[in-house]
Amino acid sequence: MRRFSMGGQWPLVLLLAVASVTRIYAQSPKDAAFLSVLGELREASYSDKASIAERLSQTGHSSVRVVLTALLEDRLYYRNSDQKVFVVKTADADPLALIDPLSLKAAGSAPADGMTKIGTNNSLRHTLKMTVAHFSLGSADAAVRLDAVHEMSLSLDEETVALLRKRLAVETNSGVRKEISIALALSTLDGSDSRARLQAVATLSDSVSQDVRNRLALLLDKSPDGTFVESDAKVRQAAAAAVESIDRWRTFYSDIQTLFFGLSLGSVLVLIAIGLAITFGVMGVINMAHGELMMLGAYTTYVVQTAMPEHIGISILVAIPAAFAVSGLMGVLMERTIIRYLYGRPLETLLATFGVSLLLQQLVRSIFTALNRSVITPDWMSGELKLNDALSITYNRLYIVIFTLIVFSAIVAVFKRTRLGLDIRAVSQNRAMAKAMGIRTEWVDAMTFGLGAGIAGVAGVALSQLTNVGPDLGQSYIIDSFMVVVFGGVGNLWGSLIGGMSMGVTNKLLEPWIGAVLAKIFVLVALILFIQVRPRGLFPPRGRAAEDK
Amino acid sequence: METLWSPTKTGDRGGKWFLSVLALIAVAAPILNQAVPASSPAHLSAYGITLIGKYLCYGMLALAVDLIWGYCGILSLGHTAFFSLGGYAIGMYLMRQIGTRGVYGDPVLPDFMVFLNWKSLPWFWNGFNHFPFALLMMVVAPGLLALVFGWFAFRSRVTGVYFSIITQALTYALMLAFFRNDMGFGGNNGFTDFKDILGFDLHSDLTRVVLLITTVATLAATYLACRTIVESRAGRVLHAIRDAESRTRFLGYPVESFKVYVFVFSAVIAGIAGALYVPQIGIINPGEFAPINSIEVVIWVAVGGRGTLYGAIAGAVVVNYAKTYLTGAFPEVWLYAVGALFVLVTLFLPRGIIGLVQTRTKR
């Protein structure tokens, strides 16, 4: 039980000290204390450096972790000219990219020969590792603690185990507790007590981590001399069961992940099709320029971002109404100048709108050149939501799904709850009667087309986050969007939603088996066959009006 | 729907004009290329010969689309699928003819297969070293696809816009498939670097002239065949289907059979056009399947004049000549011009250039 007494009382004391001071953020006295301690590092011997690092961590400054990690990785330098200490981005580069140790912001660069590295040796590095781990475990941020535990579980020795045990006693966050108990169980597997090992295997079987699974699988291996690595048959049995259970859960989670990928692809399909479901489905206009209206939306996003480079985070939110307005106005313009002369002749509208699509492409090419424009993904959309070791969901996919559902509900609301929606439905069901009742059908036509075009623009904002923004952006999506509308049943918004989602999920479910391209071909062929069985889609239009569409 | 076609009036004065122009090309082009010395300004270069050949192949494709769209109301947005299949069929023959002259010098395997480390020819490449077999396949492959696709689609009464969209999906799916290396059709790069056809060097002027004359002759023959069809009793049924499908069905005509028959025939013409196109252009790749190309074909027909046959061919030649000229001289302007052309033609010239000419001459 030696390892329990290792380290004595000081970690706990320090922990409390750190916890109490981390609440007070970067104030200048603390900055000053931090800097003066940091300055001592320059001249100190290796053994002194260890205690300096210790004192540094006691200052509780928010930069401690970064600075000590940098020291650990040989990335802490001081400038020969003014003896100022800097963190560098990558060691041994020339020139070195400097980072200010206080603010952690970039601080220019300096030639490598004007800088001196603050060196470390093996035993110092060992101590430092402990100090960093210790400091991180005391962090007020549960995510930092979780990372620290994870880091520590990769190289478990007696000291880290002792540290983790102490932390487990005071840890309140359940996620961190779980991670700690897994790390401790992993270390117990190396012990000599077979009952403790059995207990550890039981703890580990709750995990879904690939590392844990591999560690458990090792217990089932045989040594070169033919005996089992794990001597106790009971433990082996438990380990085998645990591996199986972990595998089962991992498969389950990966299925959920595939399903989610499918839903997010389906959301994209719904989003690009929903505007078309209005123009094509409700009005019977084959709008080949639909893709280009989406492209206009994507370019609007680019322009909005360029106009407000300081606020990338909210630029996307500004771009949504802007794109709706730009594409919507373009749609109204198209309807007023071209499409209104071609009602009732769907194949002619196809040709005319195809002409419009070429015009819009070349227009964009003339203004923005043929090169792709890069739209920056805001910080709040990057990264991923890690649900557990086997399942993480990227934020941009998650937001796409949510965004699609919002847009869809908004459209349904417009159709069901507003005067415009009522007019649109009336005109699409019986134009002559609607006109007789005093509805300005021409105005309704323009508004309907504008609405569909505007939604295409909104879809373009989403696409700008997923793909390159170039003049050809629209072309690559036009077939997909038509397929969704036809599959769902022309004139039926819900059909488009269900059609798009099921196409997306089918595609992603097939992908692991036959690859992305074949999956896409399969979906297309399946759709062609489906149309043979149900020529009017999933939810066909009914009634007398159905024949004309 | 206004009458686009009336057998008595078109009489076929336009058709006679068209055939005379074809005859003129068949006589003048070889003379200007072979007999006139290269220094003379009247000399027609090999490039010119190929260009004319290319336009005429596009014309044949437009003819195929006009036959079903102009006369039967079936708008196919996937006709380049048949065109490309015909092209691939002849391309496979041409690839087999390269033999040891390829970069890797393999006597049997085309270069791309050696590159992919394949050991033997896939089964569907067998027979393509024989020219007659390739000729057979350039008809059978598109014809069979059209038969199966058309039979399913028409029997299920997939009509109008729905049919257009699934034909688009068909050619899109084929494009994706042909892009895959595993398909055994050269993937992304397709077939190129052809050497000779039936032992004649593809790069020699004489071979090009012969290919052009073959194209002219085939175009004339397919035109006459289409003309015969649309003026026959069957043609009147097609016309009836276009204008009132349900009524024709109620009168007892097997509408689906007529549609399948004309669709397959049209696909075969498209396939032959593709097969004539590839040896002259010297390359075929999956890009030819792109749905946008099929839409362009429809545009040619619309510009030329739907439901006149020769109008479609004229449309193809005029639009493509404009494309060649404008993309060379003013690359910026081309898409504006063609975009505006489509819009204006659909709005103001529902019967295309031919319609315009006919109204003028009547006055």
Side-chain angles (χ1 to χ4, degrees), chain A residues 280 286 288 338 347 351-352 354-355 358-359 362-363 365-366 475 479 482-483 490 518 520-521 524 532 535-536, chain B residues 75 149 152-153 156 161-162 165 169 172 176-177 180 291-292 295 298-299 302 332 335-336 338-339 342-343 346:
Chain A
F280 178 46
I286 308 185
M288 291 302 284
I338 299 169
L347 299 179
L351 299 182
F354 183 70
L358 296 184
L359 288 173
Q362 188 58 38
L363 183 72
R365 215 171 269 140
S366 302
Q475 267 182 10
I479 295 191
F482 271 109
M483 294 309 284
V490 169
L518 269 187
K520 180 138 203 189
I521 295 174
L524 284 173
Q532 319 293 337
R536 306 259 166 212
Chain B
L75 178 58
F149 186 82
F152 275 112
S156 315
V161 175
Y162 290 87
I165 289 171
Y172 186 54
L176 291 177
R180 303 181 68 235
I292 189 152
I295 300 175
V298 174
I299 302 290
E332 301 277 298
L335 278 182
Y336 284 127
V338 79
F342 299 161
V343 174
T346 34

Side-chain angles (χ1 to χ4, degrees), chain B residues 92 96 109 113 118 120-129 133 137 182-185:
Chain B
M92 286 163 87
R96 294 292 303 266
L109 295 185
M113 289 190 193
W118 291 12
S120 59
L121 273 184
W123 61 268
F124 49 83
W125 275 75
N126 289 325
F128 275 99
N129 46 340
F133 182 76
M137 289 319 284
D182 301 349
M183 277 287 282
F185 294 106

Side-chain angles (χ1 to χ4, degrees), chain B residues 24-25 27-38 40-45 49 52 209:
Chain B
L24 184 70
I25 292 175
V27 175
I31 295 176
L32 290 179
N33 176 258
Q34 293 290 309
V36 177
S40 156
H43 175 77
L44 185 63
S45 64
I49 294 276
I52 297 174
V209 166

Side-chain angles (χ1 to χ4, degrees), chain A residues 270-408:
Chain A
V270 171
L271 206 52
I272 61 174
I274 200 82
L276 202 66
I278 297 173
T279 50
F280 178 46
V282 178
M283 302 179 75
V285 171
I286 308 185
N287 183 12
M288 291 302 284
H290 179 73
E292 277 60 36
L293 292 169
M294 294 197 279
M295 175 197 71
L296 285 186
Y299 271 97
T300 308
T301 316
Y302 166 74
V303 171
V304 169
Q305 250 185 22
T306 318
M308 42 195 297
E310 300 296 315
H311 307 94
I312 297 296
I314 53 169
S315 70
I316 293 283
L317 301 178
V318 178
I320 293 172
F324 183 86
V326 169
S327 299
L329 284 177
M330 181 55 78
V332 172
L333 185 70
M334 278 172 66
E335 202 276 339
R336 284 290 88 188
T337 54
I338 299 169
I339 289 165
R340 68 165 164 160
Y341 300 107
L342 299 171
Y343 282 123
R345 290 190 285 164
L347 299 179
E348 267 89 344
T349 55
L350 185 152
L351 299 182
T353 51
F354 183 70
V356 173
S357 81
L358 296 184
L359 288 173
L360 288 178
Q361 271 179 40
Q362 188 58 38
L363 183 72
V364 163
R365 215 171 269 140
S366 302
I367 299 175
F368 296 96
T369 78
L371 299 175
N372 284 338
R373 297 284 149 189
S374 62
V375 171
I376 307 161
T377 306
D379 289 338
W380 55 271
M381 277 185 70
S382 45
E384 57 181 16
L385 180 66
K386 197 165 177 192
L387 294 178
N388 62 34
D389 285 316
L391 181 61
S392 47
I393 287 170
T394 50
Y395 279 121
N396 61 353
R397 285 179 195 271
L398 186 63
Y399 285 127
I400 284 280
V401 176
I402 296 172
F403 184 60
T404 303
L405 294 178
I406 293 175
V407 171
F408 184 81

Side-chain angles (χ1 to χ4, degrees), chain B residues 200-222:
Chain B
F200 299 104
D201 182 11
L202 271 173
H203 302 287
S204 86
D205 279 15
L206 192 61
T207 316
R208 284 168 184 251
V209 166
V210 173
L211 279 172
L212 176 63
I213 295 176
T214 317
T215 309
V216 171
T218 319
L219 181 56
T222 45

Side-chain angles (χ1 to χ4, degrees), chain A residues 465-481:
Chain A
Q465 297 298 316
L466 301 175
T467 178
N468 294 325
V469 176
D472 300 336
L473 180 138
Q475 267 182 10
S476 30
Y477 287 97
I478 185 78
I479 295 191
D480 283 333
S481 41

